[in-house]
């Protein structure tokens, strides 16, 4: 018998109204709050450091050589700016993609 993907997904995920019980193995006193809070940028830099952006730029240029047989010569600054734009676009919601670039929505 043929079952559609939709019916399989519907059977696999079910919403039940009952309290969530976490199954963490961490002890209650294992984590502590930091002495001072860092800026959002410093938290971001813990996961996305300069070496990662350098690697992304190099791999982007390599991929462009493989794809179009020419390097697009992107820089770390361009990749960092692109990621920053994507983060902001994820936080600030606009009705359409064009609204991010419209003159009247710039501050």
């Amino acid at each position: 018998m043929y079952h559609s993907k939709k019916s399989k997904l519907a059977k696999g995920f079910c919403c039940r109204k009952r309290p969530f019980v976490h199954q963490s193995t961490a002890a209650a006193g294992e984590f502590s709050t930091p002495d001072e809070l860092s800026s959002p940028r410093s938290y971001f830099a813990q996961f996305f450091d300069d070496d990662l952006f350098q690697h992304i730029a190099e791999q982007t240029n390599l991929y462009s050589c493989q794809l179009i047989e020419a390097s697009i010569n992107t820089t770390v600054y361009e990749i960092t700016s692109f990621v920053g734009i994507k983060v902001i676009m994820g936080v600030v919601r606009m009705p359409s993609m064009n609204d991010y670039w419209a003159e009247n929505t710039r501050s």
Side-chain angles (χ1 to χ4, degrees):
M1 178 189 265
Y2 175 77
H3 295 285
S4 70
K5 278 187 176 183
K6 190 173 184 179
S7 66
K8 286 182 182 179
L9 288 176
K11 290 180 183 178
F13 297 97
C14 182
C15 179
R16 296 187 180 134
K17 293 183 180 181
R18 60 181 162 171
F20 173 76
V21 179
H22 72 85
Q23 299 176 1
S24 174
T25 58
E30 198 167 325
F31 298 101
S32 61
T33 58
D35 294 332
E36 64 181 59
L37 295 176
S38 299
S39 69
R41 171 68 176 111
S42 64
Y43 281 116
F44 184 82
Q46 290 178 9
F47 302 98
F48 293 85
D49 61 0
D50 294 337
D51 291 338
L52 178 62
F53 284 111
Q54 179 67 42
H55 182 71
I56 293 171
E58 290 169 359
Q59 292 301 309
T60 299
N61 290 328
L62 177 63
Y63 183 67
S64 71
C65 288
Q66 294 169 346
L67 192 66
I68 61 173
E69 298 179 1
S71 177
I72 60 172
N73 295 321
T74 191
T75 64
V76 172
Y77 177 77
E78 291 172 338
I79 296 296
T80 305
S81 298
F82 176 75
V83 170
I85 288 168
K86 297 302 274 183
V87 168
I88 290 171
M89 289 172 77
V91 174
V92 178
R93 298 289 181 170
M94 297 277 189
S96 74
M97 191 65 75
N98 291 338
D99 290 335
Y100 289 103
W101 311 110
E103 290 287 332
N104 61 348
T105 57
R106 294 183 188 179
S107 55

